[in-house]
């Protein structure tokens, strides 16, 4: 997978479908040559030739020009551009040297290849376990004027078009240096014809797609809220302008990191495109003393020449194979009901027991007790940090026992990174709150963030949360995060370490998550941040599912789920049905079925008719949900570009598929076909929409005819099942002469 030609000094990292080439040039710079569909070899001359003037150097007060060698810093494509040199397109690593300057000039020092991957401590990372299909190249660069070393790591897989990149900076100087930018990846692409796909959002609009043409203006997709990614998400795509969902070259970049991040994207004067991805430099400045190292988070670079769907599937497969805890990844999740939208803070033992009874009747498998069970928390003004049961309000042992006796699971909500000023914890330890003591800290939802830069604070919170989960037999945990970081300052760090706080906070959070999942490996964890404000590979490393949004109204929800689908597996997308009255339970459930499934409502308020619908829906979800959990996802109709949203999931063996269609506005008449994808062309499939059997090629090229009148906000879901030619004949004989039956739901 990793080849090095000692003569040409070319590295070729590849599998059968994907190639990534770079070389060491005569001056010791790493020159990026190519990334994309597999090619057997490259011609360096052709790839690096630029019609720009040659450069000379001043040596011993003499102008020197190496005529035999052509090289211009501002025109070449690099693996890691140096800072303050002739290359003005942005550098991934910036260091304030011992002499105060930020000029660096990193040149090749050595390299080595290992089978497997270098393990990263403290940060979530690609977990390869005992897999043997990965090789890692470490190229060590050295700054020519100092003893600062920079290692670039590249891991490549033989069965997935993914390259993992991150860096390590080592201070070999005798004095401190400051790392002021520490990105994980630089990708220099030839050519100009790219479009950026990113997401933006806010509460209740958690991720919405944004497409931006990449031109000479630098675009920065970034976040600086500390640990909340719905304003922008740490995953983007760079697609050829002409690429569609089905065809064309597309790159997907996804950071395994939940803190402040940035993607810089833009063209240079020669129309070449540079992308830099990693920790957001705006809020970062990390001191490295003699002998210390800094490791950047991993950045996933996925490639497909089969369009956006191709890269989406690669990102999904990668997350399922290498990020999400193995124990849960392809396992059906229980249908849950959450107490929040049913009761908010107003519940007691009896109410929760009634909720359990009703949920059981409806075919729901788990009850989750949300916010309000601890301290004296009867509203959101108090008690975060006091993780002790409010015995006056709820007898947890009794309700858990009650649920378990009925063969139902039980889950509990926590918000471990937070502290309410009105809490015993704050009264005894005001120094635990993370804010600059020279200002009045902003309260957001009446709360402050805990200073997780301190291991002491992390350990204390762990002990409290851990004693609750040890004492009570809890099956699931919803881990919330309801404000972002502001006016940061730490009583545990020196004033000049302000630039380390955001990253150290993240490391503390990861430490807590790590301790929790290690101590409670059987607890299904769902992270959350005011809805879906923390959806990234860093979180998925610990929690197999993430609450996608507090917004459950179909029209808005579809756009949020769609944007999330493009980057993250559907099995990770917490999707629930709520009581909001604008559409039927069936429509809301069809949408929620394309994620992890559950409810946010009070079942006692349901009509008998609604209850019947919900029982039926739950049966269907149990029957077909495995296709969503393990299948390949394809976008069929992009909701941002038409009146429809349509997508499908196909099992890897191509025997079953689940198709989704949604109409935003009412359309009484339309000749409407959905062309399916991902099926086997010569395989017969029964479809539950028309109850007919056709070959895969007919569904994919002719399409399924859904030319019926469809009302505003109507959702359809139908299943395709592979049948043999014999089963087809028998089925058609049995049904000949019968009228065609059209179902809207499987
Ligand atoms: C925000 C979450 O998104 C809600 O589902 C709920 O858990 C509340 N927090 C509780 O405070």
């Amino acid at each position: 997978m990793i080849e090095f030609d000692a003569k040409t000094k070319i590295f070729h990292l590849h599998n059968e479908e994907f190639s990534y080439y770079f070389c060491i040039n005569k001056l010791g710079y790493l020159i990026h040559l190519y990334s994309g569909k597999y090619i057997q070899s490259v011609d360096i001359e052709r790839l690096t030739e630029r019609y720009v003037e040659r450069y000379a150097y001043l040596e011993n007060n003499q102008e020197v020009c190496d005529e035999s060698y052509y090289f211009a810093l501002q025109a070449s494509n690099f693996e890691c551009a140096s800072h303050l040199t002739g290359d003005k397109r942005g550098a991934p690593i910036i260091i304030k040297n011992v002499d105060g300057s930020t000029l660096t000039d990193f040149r090749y020092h050595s390299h080595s290849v290992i089978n497997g991957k270098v393990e990263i401590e403290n940060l979530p990372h690609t977990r390869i376990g005992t897999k043997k299909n990965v090789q890692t190249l470490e190229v060590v660069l050295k700054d020519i004027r100092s003893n600062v070393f920079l290692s670039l790591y590249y891991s490549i897989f033989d069965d997935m078009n993914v390259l993992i990149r991150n860096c390590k900076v080592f201070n070999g100087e005798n004095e401190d240096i400051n790392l002021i930018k520490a990105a994980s990846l630089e990708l220099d692409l030839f050519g100009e014809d790219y479009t950026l796909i990113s997401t933006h959002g806010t509460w209740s609009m958690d991720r919405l797609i944004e497409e931006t043409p990449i031109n000479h203006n630098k675009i920065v997709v970034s976040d600086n809220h500390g640990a909340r990614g719905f304003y922008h998400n740490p995953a983007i795509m760079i697609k050829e302008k002409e690429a569609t969902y089905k065809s064309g070259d597309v790159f997907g970049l996804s950071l395994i990191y939940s803190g402040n991040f940035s993607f810089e994207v833009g063209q240079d004067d020669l129309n070449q495109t540079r992308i830099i991805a990693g920790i957001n430099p705006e809020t970062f400045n990390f001191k490295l003393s003699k002998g210390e190292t800094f490791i950047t988070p991993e950045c996933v670079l996925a490639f497909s020449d089969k369009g956006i769907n191709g890269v989406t599937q690669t990102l999904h497969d990668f997350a399922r194979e290498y990020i999400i805890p193995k124990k849960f990844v392809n396992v059906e999740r229980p249908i849950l009901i959450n107490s929040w939208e049913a009761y908010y803070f107003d519940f007691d033992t009896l109410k929760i027991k009634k909720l359990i009874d009703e949920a059981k009747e409806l075919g729901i498998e788990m009850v989750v007790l949300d916010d309000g069970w601890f301290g004296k928390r009867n509203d959101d003004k108090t008690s975060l940090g006091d993780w002790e049961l409010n015995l006056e309000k709820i007898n947890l042992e009794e309700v858990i026992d009650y649920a378990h006796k009925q063969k139902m699971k039980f889950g509990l909500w926590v918000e471990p990174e937070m502290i309410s000023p009105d809490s015993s914890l704050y009264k005894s330890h005001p120094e635990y709150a993370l804010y600059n003591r020279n200002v009045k800290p902003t309260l957001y939802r009446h709360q402050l963030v805990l200073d997780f830069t301190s291991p002491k604070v992390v350990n204390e919170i762990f002990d409290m949360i851990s004693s609750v989960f040890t004492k009570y037999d809890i099956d699931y945990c919803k881990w919330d995060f309801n404000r972002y970081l502001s006016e940061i300052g730490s009583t545990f760090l020196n004033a000049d370490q302000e630039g380390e706080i955001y990253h150290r906070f993240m490391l503390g959070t990861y430490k807590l998550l790590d301790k929790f999942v290690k101590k409670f490996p059987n607890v299904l964890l769902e992270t959350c941040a005011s809805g879906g404000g923390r959806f990234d590979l860093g979180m998925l490393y610990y929690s197999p599912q993430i609450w996608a949004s507090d917004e459950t109204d179909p029209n808005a929800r579809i756009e949020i789920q769609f944007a999330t689908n493009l980057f993250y597996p559907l099995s990770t997308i917490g999707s629930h049905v709520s009581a909001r009255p604008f559409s039927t339970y069936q429509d809301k459930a069809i949408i929620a079925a394309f994620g992890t499934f559950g409810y946010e409502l009070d079942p006692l308020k349901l009509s008998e008719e609604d209850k019947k619908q919900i029982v039926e829906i739950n049966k269907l979800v149990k029957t077909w949900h495995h296709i969503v959990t393990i299948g390949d996802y394809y976008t069929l109709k992009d909701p941002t570009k038409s009146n429809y949203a349509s997508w499908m999931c196909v099992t890897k063996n191509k025997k079953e598929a689940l198709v989704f269609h949604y109409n935003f506005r009412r359309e009484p008449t339309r000749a409407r076909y959905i062309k399916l994808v991902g099926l086997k062309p010569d395989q017969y499939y029964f479809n539950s929409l028309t109850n007919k059997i056709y070959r895969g090629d007919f569904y994919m090229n002719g399409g399924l005819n859904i030319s019926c009148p469809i009302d505003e906000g109507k959702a359809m879901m139908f299943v395709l099942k592979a049948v043999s030619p014999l089963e087809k004949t028998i089925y058609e004989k049995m049904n000949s002469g019968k009228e065609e039956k059209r179902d809207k739901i499987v």
Side-chain angles (χ1 to χ4, degrees):
M1 290 182 279
I2 297 178
E3 289 164 13
F4 178 64
D5 182 335
K7 207 159 139 226
T8 57
K9 300 217 166 107
I10 295 180
F11 291 96
H12 184 197
L13 287 64
H14 69 94
N15 56 33
E16 279 174 13
E17 294 180 7
F18 174 58
S19 281
Y20 189 94
Y21 280 97
F22 63 96
C23 69
I24 310 164
N25 81 356
K26 285 190 183 172
L27 300 175
Y29 290 108
L30 296 189
I31 302 296
H32 182 74
L33 297 173
Y34 172 82
S35 46
K37 196 175 166 72
Y38 175 82
I39 46 176
Q40 207 191 34
S41 58
V42 286
D43 175 346
I44 294 200
E45 298 297 316
R46 293 300 313 147
L47 285 173
T48 56
E49 194 170 84
R50 302 280 182 277
Y51 291 96
V52 288
E53 73 229 56
R54 283 153 198 254
Y55 279 75
Y57 300 88
L58 193 62
E59 210 172 274
N60 299 327
N61 284 329
Q62 291 288 313
E63 187 175 307
V64 182
C65 184
D66 179 357
E67 287 297 332
S68 67
Y69 191 67
Y70 168 80
F71 178 70
L73 282 171
Q74 109 278 21
S76 295
N77 283 342
F78 289 101
E79 286 301 304
C80 184
S82 292
H83 187 236
L84 284 193
T85 62
D87 182 340
K88 297 295 172 207
R89 294 165 290 178
I93 303 286
I94 304 180
I95 289 163
K96 189 155 191 196
N97 297 305
V98 173
D99 66 6
S101 92
T102 57
L103 172 65
T104 50
D105 197 340
F106 285 110
R107 312 273 183 115
Y108 175 83
H109 175 269
S110 56
H111 78 269
S112 58
V113 174
I114 60 159
N115 287 327
K117 246 186 97 272
V118 181
E119 275 288 308
I120 303 186
E121 277 177 34
N122 308 335
L123 282 168
H125 55 269
T126 313
R127 43 172 127 227
I128 58 159
T130 52
K131 291 204 163 219
K132 300 205 166 27
N133 60 341
V134 189
Q135 276 193 333
T136 301
L137 167 68
E138 177 183 5
V139 185
V140 182
L141 308 175
K142 183 183 173 299
D143 179 37
I144 57 170
R145 276 179 295 271
S146 72
N147 283 316
V148 176
F149 291 83
L150 170 63
S151 293
L152 308 182
Y153 294 99
Y154 304 80
S155 298
I156 178 117
F157 301 77
D158 69 2
D159 56 352
M160 207 177 263
N161 296 348
V162 158
L163 189 83
I164 310 293
R165 257 289 299 261
N166 76 318
C167 311
K168 180 176 83 186
V169 179
F170 170 73
N171 179 13
E173 293 286 279
N174 287 325
E175 290 169 50
D176 296 347
I177 59 168
N178 273 65
L179 196 50
I180 51 183
K181 184 171 178 187
S184 304
L185 165 139
E186 171 178 336
L187 178 66
D188 283 3
L189 296 171
F190 298 101
E192 59 202 293
D193 295 323
Y194 295 104
T195 301
L196 168 72
I197 302 178
S198 57
T199 66
H200 71 99
T202 184
W203 180 76
S204 193
M205 292 162 53
D206 309 53
R207 266 163 303 289
L208 302 174
I209 290 292
E210 201 138 62
E211 270 195 35
T212 320
I214 297 174
N215 55 30
H216 301 89
N217 300 318
K218 193 181 270 185
I219 309 164
V220 181
V221 179
S222 69
D223 191 78
N224 58 10
H225 290 79
R228 287 233 297 202
F230 50 27
Y231 306 98
H232 287 100
N233 190 270
I236 60 166
M237 285 188 197
I238 306 284
K239 74 171 192 88
E240 283 181 334
K241 273 188 189 135
E242 304 74 26
T244 64
Y245 282 93
K246 287 186 187 172
S247 67
D249 284 4
V250 184
F251 292 93
L253 287 86
S254 192
L255 286 161
I256 310 179
Y257 191 57
S258 322
N260 293 344
F261 68 88
S262 89
F263 294 97
E264 296 166 30
V265 185
Q267 277 174 27
D268 63 14
D269 53 327
L270 304 180
N271 292 358
Q272 308 179 103
T273 301
R274 173 167 293 176
I275 301 138
I276 292 178
I279 294 176
N280 188 341
E282 183 200 329
T283 47
F284 180 82
N285 187 337
F286 214 95
K287 186 170 78 187
L288 282 188
S289 298
K290 180 186 175 182
E292 283 185 343
T293 54
F294 184 90
I295 312 253
T296 69
E298 291 179 348
C299 182
V300 179
L301 173 68
F303 169 77
S304 177
D305 64 334
K306 298 184 183 62
I308 297 172
N309 282 339
V311 119
T312 290
Q313 285 167 12
T314 307
L315 289 171
H316 288 190
D317 285 343
F318 174 78
R320 290 189 285 214
E321 195 61 38
Y322 297 108
I323 298 289
I324 300 165
K326 273 270 153 318
K327 186 176 167 51
F328 295 102
V329 67
N330 287 331
V331 177
E332 283 295 295
R333 316 287 163 73
I335 300 181
L336 72 82
I337 188 158
N338 183 297
S339 65
W340 182 244
E341 290 193 27
Y343 310 130
Y344 296 100
F345 295 101
D346 182 19
F347 57 79
D348 56 27
T349 305
L350 192 62
K351 265 191 179 171
I352 299 302
K353 281 169 91 175
K354 279 197 185 149
L355 177 65
I356 294 169
D357 287 338
E358 285 296 318
K360 173 85 187 166
E361 289 291 304
L362 295 172
I364 292 169
E365 298 159 304
M366 179 160 79
V367 169
V368 177
L369 181 57
D370 208 281
D371 200 350
W373 56 266
F374 53 93
K376 45 185 175 65
R377 189 151 164 107
N378 293 319
D379 57 37
D380 61 9
K381 295 193 175 63
T382 170
S383 299
L384 293 168
D386 295 346
W387 298 109
E388 273 186 20
L389 194 64
N390 182 346
L391 288 164
E392 282 167 25
K393 196 168 173 181
I394 184 104
N395 183 334
L396 206 49
E397 197 168 343
E398 191 180 323
V399 291
I400 295 177
D401 205 40
Y402 193 71
H404 285 169
K405 282 210 174 102
Q406 306 209 41
K407 303 265 172 300
M408 290 185 73
K409 292 181 186 299
F410 193 87
L412 198 65
W413 177 99
V414 291
E415 194 178 359
E417 292 103 317
M418 299 294 161
I419 181 164
S420 306
D422 178 22
S423 66
S424 311
L425 185 69
Y426 188 80
K427 276 168 201 135
S428 52
H429 288 293
E431 78 281 11
Y432 282 12
L434 183 79
Y435 68 88
N436 185 323
R437 270 42 191 187
N438 298 323
V439 297
K440 278 192 200 150
T442 307
L443 291 177
Y444 190 85
R445 213 195 188 206
H446 319 285
Q447 65 199 56
L448 294 167
V449 180
L450 277 165
D451 189 349
F452 276 5
T453 68
S454 157
K456 181 173 164 356
V457 181
V458 170
N459 289 338
E460 232 170 272
I461 294 298
F462 174 72
D463 289 344
M464 280 193 259
I465 303 268
S466 164
S467 73
V468 175
F469 278 78
T470 306
K471 187 160 179 204
Y472 303 103
D473 189 7
I474 299 163
D475 306 290
Y476 158 106
C477 171
K478 179 172 172 189
W479 185 301
D480 210 340
F481 187 95
N482 283 307
R483 68 158 290 169
Y484 52 80
L485 279 60
S486 63
E487 298 99 21
I488 53 152
S490 169
T491 57
F492 297 93
L493 298 175
N494 299 327
D496 67 352
Q497 285 180 289
E498 187 196 74
E500 300 178 17
I501 290 179
Y502 279 105
H503 185 63
R504 286 188 187 276
F505 173 80
M506 221 41 254
L507 296 181
T509 301
Y510 288 145
K511 183 80 207 161
L512 185 63
L513 281 158
D514 192 56
K515 280 162 85 87
F516 183 85
V517 296
K518 282 193 176 131
K519 178 132 191 213
F520 305 103
N522 297 326
V523 172
L524 171 63
L525 187 61
E526 175 153 1
T527 45
C528 163
S530 302
R534 190 156 64 163
F535 220 116
D536 56 69
L537 291 180
M539 283 294 132
L540 285 180
Y541 182 84
Y542 305 98
S543 67
Q545 56 195 59
I546 301 176
W547 178 224
S549 176
D550 284 345
E551 179 58 81
T552 44
D553 284 337
N555 279 2
R557 182 79 192 186
I558 283 191
E559 293 202 28
I560 297 165
Q561 277 184 220
F562 168 71
T564 315
N565 293 350
L566 289 195
F567 297 97
Y568 303 101
L570 276 57
S571 61
T572 66
I573 303 175
S575 312
H576 298 172
V577 176
S578 76
R580 301 199 189 156
F582 311 112
S583 48
T584 66
Y585 281 106
Q586 178 170 304
D587 289 312
K588 289 183 282 195
I590 291 175
I591 300 164
F594 285 84
T596 69
F597 190 73
Y599 293 88
E600 303 272 335
L601 49 84
D602 182 358
L604 280 92
K605 293 193 179 139
L606 290 169
S607 69
E608 285 310 309
E609 192 41 47
D610 288 340
K611 280 187 189 170
K612 264 194 218 146
Q613 243 187 57
I614 287 179
V615 170
E616 284 314 306
I617 289 163
N618 290 343
K619 281 189 198 146
L620 286 171
V621 167
K622 287 314 281 178
T623 314
W624 301 115
H625 205 240
H626 63 278
I627 308 177
V628 172
T629 308
I630 59 172
D632 285 333
Y633 166 87
Y634 297 86
T635 297
L636 303 176
K637 288 276 176 209
D638 176 340
T640 66
K641 298 198 168 94
S642 76
N643 188 31
Y644 318 128
S646 189
W647 54 69
M648 68 187 284
C649 299
V650 187
T651 53
K652 298 260 177 210
N653 63 11
K654 301 201 177 286
K655 294 229 155 98
E656 292 172 309
L658 205 57
V659 183
F660 169 79
H661 179 84
Y662 183 82
N663 252 62
F664 286 91
R665 289 183 312 279
R666 178 177 141 76
E667 286 183 334
T669 50
R670 273 282 184 279
R672 194 189 298 106
Y673 291 83
I674 337 178
K675 289 190 181 180
L676 306 187
V677 286
L679 303 174
K680 254 172 115 180
D682 57 354
Q683 169 72 58
Y684 285 112
Y685 293 91
F686 164 84
N687 83 73
S688 68
L689 178 72
T690 60
N691 292 310
K692 291 262 172 96
I693 295 172
Y694 307 116
R695 268 169 53 118
D697 53 4
F698 177 74
Y699 290 110
M700 294 195 287
N701 301 312
L704 254 191
N705 187 347
I706 47 167
S707 302
C708 50
I710 301 186
D711 273 340
E712 189 174 29
K714 276 286 153 211
M716 297 164 88
M717 170 168 89
F718 48 92
V719 71
L720 273 87
K721 274 200 84 142
V723 292
S724 67
L726 180 63
E727 285 170 321
K728 175 178 183 299
T729 314
I730 297 171
Y731 177 83
E732 283 174 352
K733 257 195 195 153
M734 283 169 58
N735 289 284
S736 76
K738 284 193 192 159
E739 215 180 290
E740 181 179 305
K741 182 172 147 271
R742 275 174 181 260
D743 289 342
K744 274 199 191 143
I745 183 165
V746 288

